[in-house]
Amino acid sequence: MANTASAKKTARQNEVRRVRNLARRSSVKTAVKKVLIALEEGAQQAAVRELLSEAASQLGRARGKGLLHANTAARKLSRLTRRVVAHYKSA
């Protein structure tokens, strides 16, 4: 356990950040999962594009907040976009 006042404050800040990052990470995962579920269920292309846009926004926000490395966010978005395009190209 922290002994000095500054160490105690840092511990409090770390806990707040941990909880905040957990919520952000969860929202990113949920947005990506919604796109994948919509593809599996055969949703309309417009609806999937809307969900993809939301997922891209969440990934970009996570990248901007330092939750994801920039290349990781770009890779996830690229792979997700390729899956959406391939799904409607084959259908």
Side-chain angles (χ1 to χ4, degrees):
M1 186 61 203
N3 290 322
T4 64
S6 62
K8 289 177 183 177
K9 179 178 177 180
T10 301
R12 287 194 310 268
Q13 289 174 330
N14 286 339
E15 179 61 19
V16 168
R17 290 173 183 151
R18 184 188 69 80
V19 172
R20 190 179 298 140
N21 286 337
L22 189 66
R24 286 184 180 142
R25 190 174 296 119
S26 176
S27 66
V28 169
K29 286 179 174 180
T30 301
V32 170
K33 198 177 295 185
K34 282 182 180 180
V35 175
L36 297 176
I37 290 172
L39 285 177
E40 288 177 6
E41 293 176 349
Q44 295 293 324
Q45 189 171 359
V48 174
R49 286 190 184 273
E50 182 66 32
L51 291 171
L52 181 63
S53 174
E54 174 63 24
S57 174
Q58 290 287 342
L59 284 166
R61 192 170 300 124
R63 183 191 70 212
K65 298 292 183 181
L67 190 64
L68 293 176
H69 189 277
N71 289 352
T72 301
R75 183 181 66 244
K76 287 180 181 289
L77 179 58
S78 174
R79 288 177 180 173
L80 189 61
T81 304
R82 281 194 328 217
R83 284 181 75 163
V84 169
V85 169
H87 182 268
Y88 288 108
K89 192 176 248 187
S90 66

